[in-house]
Amino acid sequence: MIALIQRVTQAKVDVGGETVGQIGKGLLVLLGVEKDDDHQKADKLAEKVLNYRVFSDEDDKMNLNVQQIGGEVLVVSQFTLAADTQKGLRPSFSKGAPPQLANELYTYFAQKCGEKIKVECGRFAADMQVSLVNDGPVTFWLSC
């Protein structure tokens, strides 16, 4: 399971011209689910995302997590994170989870995060337009 997290001042996701998820200061989480992923990995990754210290403290050091700053999380499913790009000029998606498992774990991940913080979501398998203001820019690749 892969989470590409971006520290943002705002982010939103639109589907068909309608905003389906929107946050202010917090984290945009692009979530990729691989075929060997399970609930245990989702639990571990959710805990890591919520506690990863990427926000500045009073000394301008990255010592605070999204919960400590009263931030929000926008979770967007992104199967392309599971792509194998090692060979050729076209990605292979053989490592990606089948849609049913990916949707289940995407929903579960968002619910786990939502137990501790405000979470908004994109729409699974939809053609989404994601807008964000990356703060820093600060972007990290987390996996479990």
Side-chain angles (χ1 to χ4, degrees):
M1 188 168 274
I2 301 161
L4 182 73
I5 63 170
Q6 297 181 318
R7 186 177 75 185
V8 299
T9 57
Q10 60 186 11
K12 72 174 187 166
V13 59
D14 293 335
V15 176
E18 171 193 356
T19 299
V20 297
Q22 184 170 358
I23 64 166
K25 187 174 183 176
L27 294 174
L28 170 62
V29 179
L30 302 175
L31 188 70
V33 181
E34 297 175 298
K35 62 182 168 189
D36 294 330
D37 289 338
D38 56 25
H39 288 84
Q40 184 178 3
K41 287 183 181 180
D43 286 339
K44 186 176 178 182
L45 189 58
E47 196 66 26
K48 193 171 188 178
V49 165
L50 294 177
N51 290 292
Y52 213 68
R53 299 181 305 169
V54 299
F55 293 91
S56 298
D57 63 13
E58 62 278 352
D59 296 322
D60 207 28
K61 302 283 185 196
M62 281 194 210
N63 278 327
L64 302 175
N65 65 47
V66 68
Q67 298 172 92
Q68 292 170 313
I69 61 125
E72 304 168 307
V73 173
L74 175 60
V75 183
V76 176
S77 175
Q78 187 167 354
F79 77 95
T80 59
L81 288 174
D84 181 354
T85 60
Q86 296 300 309
K87 295 180 185 175
L89 299 175
R90 183 169 187 236
S92 167
F93 297 104
S94 61
K95 295 190 308 185
Q100 183 177 349
L101 176 62
N103 187 25
E104 176 188 332
L105 292 178
Y106 165 72
T107 302
Y108 180 80
F109 175 88
Q111 289 172 342
K112 288 303 283 188
C113 291
E115 292 174 2
K116 296 185 177 182
I117 195 169
K118 181 185 175 198
V119 172
E120 296 275 321
C121 294
R123 189 171 295 153
F124 185 81
D127 180 18
M128 296 178 278
Q129 287 70 52
V130 180
S131 304
L132 69 139
V133 177
N134 192 321
D135 182 20
V138 172
T139 303
F140 292 95
W141 176 284
L142 305 177
S143 61
C144 287

